[in-house]
């Protein structure tokens, strides 16, 4: 290692790996990655990429921490849950402790057709730490439209799968899932099937490794297969995707139809998987002053707030409101009831 580059010392073991080398490490330092979702997969992704010295990470997550996250979301601890902070903010603080030499940007929003272009601007790679196919199809649309590589990952139970999409070269998510996202209720969810932590670590580690290959200019090493792991029954499957892009006649790759990116498909108001909760979003973003809202609600129920969110406990419901007006209503999976509660306490 060159003494004139003391900043590289911490990466010496990685630099010694021939496909990385000093040149690769410098490319990592110049690299920018959008980490979409800071839950289970996103924790491992952000942790691994920060330690590897990726120069800039933008963390985007819509949610706040709960105790039952700690079983698999390895960036967080009990103090983070206690803090009441959104995941992206807690993750940013933790990553700064891990590697203070990189830039970490945290954004507390739900990724949607209206903000993806801004969030992903200038990013070299997008990694999937989301928990739903609507967001993944949006990421896929954006990635193909902007020729940004992205790495899909998803886990349920003890099974997980991952696939790397190099727009214009490999098949995309829509080529693979030609019918689009599975309709709600047709596939197991983490609510019905549960989720084990080890599969998260396997899938997110592969995703991070693929990102490192792309960032260091080792595109020829990128996987061209769908990798499927089932850790309980010890099954590993690799599905060759060569030729799929040509065969699929994919609306995204072939015809440039971006239904999720244009907003024609996808709705952001949704029942949240396994949470007994509903997320409400509104096309017109507001800019709530949380301190004022807290004062107004002080007679209604128990209110706590910080710079990022306000939480109102009233009867058996907990309503968490973000400054842009988005809310997560816990204690119901009924969209109408959630909307009614929102209108009653926060405003219509
Ligand atoms: Zn495609």
């Amino acid at each position: 290692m060159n003494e004139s580059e003391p900043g590289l010392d911490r990466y010496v073991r990685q630099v010694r790996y021939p496909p990385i080398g000093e040149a690769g490490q410098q490319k990592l330092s110049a690299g920018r990655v959008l980490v979409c979702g800071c839950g289970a997969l996103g924790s491992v992704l952000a942790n691994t990429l920060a330690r590897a010295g990726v120069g800039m990470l933008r963390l985007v997550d819509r949610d706040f921490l709960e105790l039952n996250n700690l079983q698999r979301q390895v960036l967080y601890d009990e103090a983070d849950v206690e803090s009441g902070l959104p995941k992206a903010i807690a993750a940013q603080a933790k990553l700064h402790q891990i590697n203070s030499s990189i830039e970490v940007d945290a954004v507390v929003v739900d990724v949607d057709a209206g903000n993806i272009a801004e969030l992903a601007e200038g990013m070299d790679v997008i990694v999937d730490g989301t928990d739903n196919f609507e967001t993944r199809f949006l990421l896929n649309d954006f990635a193909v439209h902007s020729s940004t590589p992205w790495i899909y990952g998803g886990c349920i139970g003890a099974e997980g799968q991952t696939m790397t999409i190099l727009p214009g070269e490999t098949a995309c998510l829509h080529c693979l899932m030609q019918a689009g996202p599975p309709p709600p209720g047709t596939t197991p969810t983490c609510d019905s099937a549960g989720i084990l932590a080890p599969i998260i670590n396997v899938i997110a580690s592969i995703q991070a490794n693929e990102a490192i290959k792309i960032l260091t200019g080792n595109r020829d090493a990128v996987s061209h297969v769908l990798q499927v792991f089932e850790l309980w029954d010890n099954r590993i499957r690799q599905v060759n995707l060569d030729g799929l892009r040509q065969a699929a006649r994919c609306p995204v790759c072939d015809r440039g139809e971006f239904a999720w990116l244009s907003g024609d498909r996808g709705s952001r108001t949704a029942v949240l998987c396994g949470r007994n909760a509903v997320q409400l979003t509104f096309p017109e973003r507001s800019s709530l002053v949380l301190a004022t809202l807290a004062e107004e609600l002080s007679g209604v129920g128990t209110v706590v707030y910080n710079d990022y969110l306000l939480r109102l406990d009233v009867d058996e419901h907990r309503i968490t409101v973000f400054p842009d007006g988005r809310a997560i209503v816990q204690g119901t999976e009924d969209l109408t009831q959630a909307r009614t509660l929102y209108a009653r306490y926060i405003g219509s």
Side-chain angles (χ1 to χ4, degrees), residues 10-139:
R10 63 186 295 155
Y11 308 115
V12 63
R13 296 295 200 280
Q14 179 173 290
V15 168
R16 269 186 205 152
Y17 185 66
I20 305 281
E22 287 201 23
Q25 190 62 48
Q26 272 150 6
K27 286 179 187 163
L28 283 178
S29 298
R32 301 163 70 86
V33 176
L34 179 65
V35 181
C36 256
C38 294
L41 289 168
S43 274
V44 177
L45 285 162
N47 186 7
T48 308
L49 296 174
R51 288 178 195 273
V54 173
M56 194 274 185
L57 297 176
R58 176 168 292 150
L59 315 175
V60 185
D61 192 276
R62 65 185 180 184
D63 218 336
F64 46 87
L65 279 159
E66 295 182 291
L67 188 60
N68 69 21
N69 297 155
L70 300 186
Q71 168 248 354
R72 63 200 178 283
Q73 303 189 10
V74 297
L75 265 188
Y76 312 113
D77 55 40
E78 292 179 3
D80 295 320
V81 176
E82 197 63 30
S83 73
L85 288 173
K87 289 182 189 180
I89 302 298
Q92 181 187 37
K94 197 62 60 79
L95 293 175
H96 187 71
Q97 292 175 340
I98 291 168
N99 189 347
S100 61
S101 72
I102 65 165
E103 184 187 343
V104 181
D105 192 13
V107 192
V108 186
V109 293
D110 192 22
V111 177
D112 62 24
N115 60 25
I116 179 65
E118 193 183 339
L119 292 169
E121 184 172 7
M123 295 294 143
D124 301 307
V125 181
I126 300 170
V127 290
D128 175 16
T130 69
D131 60 357
N132 67 88
F133 275 103
E134 284 208 355
T135 308
R136 291 184 182 120
F137 273 78
L138 173 66
L139 295 182

Side-chain angles (χ1 to χ4, degrees), residues 133 137 177 179-187:
F133 275 103
F137 273 78
M177 302 178 67
T186 58
T187 51

Side-chain angles (χ1 to χ4, degrees), residues 171-172 174-175 250 252-253:
C172 81
H174 208 302
C175 295
C250 166
V252 179
C253 294

Side-chain angles (χ1 to χ4, degrees), residues 65 138 167 219 236 246 275 279:
L65 279 159
L138 173 66
R219 274 188 176 233
I236 299 177
Q246 285 70 33
R275 296 277 304 278
Q279 171 179 259

Side-chain angles (χ1 to χ4, degrees), residues 72-302:
R72 63 200 178 283
Q73 303 189 10
V74 297
L75 265 188
Y76 312 113
D77 55 40
E78 292 179 3
D80 295 320
V81 176
E82 197 63 30
S83 73
L85 288 173
K87 289 182 189 180
I89 302 298
Q92 181 187 37
K94 197 62 60 79
L95 293 175
H96 187 71
Q97 292 175 340
I98 291 168
N99 189 347
S100 61
S101 72
I102 65 165
E103 184 187 343
V104 181
D105 192 13
V107 192
V108 186
V109 293
D110 192 22
V111 177
D112 62 24
N115 60 25
I116 179 65
E118 193 183 339
L119 292 169
E121 184 172 7
M123 295 294 143
D124 301 307
V125 181
I126 300 170
V127 290
D128 175 16
T130 69
D131 60 357
N132 67 88
F133 275 103
E134 284 208 355
T135 308
R136 291 184 182 120
F137 273 78
L138 173 66
L139 295 182
N140 188 68
D141 266 13
F142 177 83
V144 174
H145 186 259
S146 64
S147 290
T148 310
W150 84 281
I151 304 157
Y152 155 61
C155 298
I156 200 78
E159 179 169 320
Q161 51 185 329
T162 178
M163 162 188 183
T164 303
I165 291 104
L166 300 175
E169 291 178 47
T170 68
C172 81
L173 186 66
H174 208 302
C175 295
L176 180 72
M177 302 178 67
Q178 294 172 26
T186 58
T187 51
T189 65
C190 54
D191 201 10
S192 59
I195 181 84
L196 297 185
I199 187 62
I200 299 282
N201 290 272
V202 170
I203 294 298
S205 295
I206 293 171
Q207 289 178 277
N209 201 48
E210 291 287 288
I212 289 170
K213 291 176 190 174
I214 293 167
L215 292 169
T216 55
N218 289 289
R219 274 188 176 233
D220 51 345
V222 165
S223 165
H224 283 229
V225 298
L226 171 72
Q227 307 199 64
V228 186
F229 296 79
E230 211 290 344
L231 298 186
W232 203 260
D233 296 329
N234 311 304
R235 285 182 285 113
I236 299 177
R237 197 156 56 97
Q238 297 200 315
V239 183
N240 190 332
L241 301 177
D242 286 336
L244 176 61
R245 187 165 162 271
Q246 285 70 33
R249 298 178 181 281
C250 166
V252 179
C253 294
D254 260 18
R255 302 199 291 279
E257 293 170 9
F258 303 104
W260 277 269
L261 190 57
S262 68
D264 289 346
R265 294 203 56 181
S267 71
R268 314 309 307 168
T269 290
V271 176
L272 299 181
C273 176
R275 296 277 304 278
N276 189 29
V278 171
Q279 171 179 259
L280 299 175
T281 57
F282 306 92
E284 296 293 317
R285 286 164 217 268
S286 45
S287 47
L288 297 174
V289 179
L290 297 182
T292 310
L293 186 61
E295 214 166 298
E296 288 167 11
L297 292 171
S298 58
V300 173
T302 309

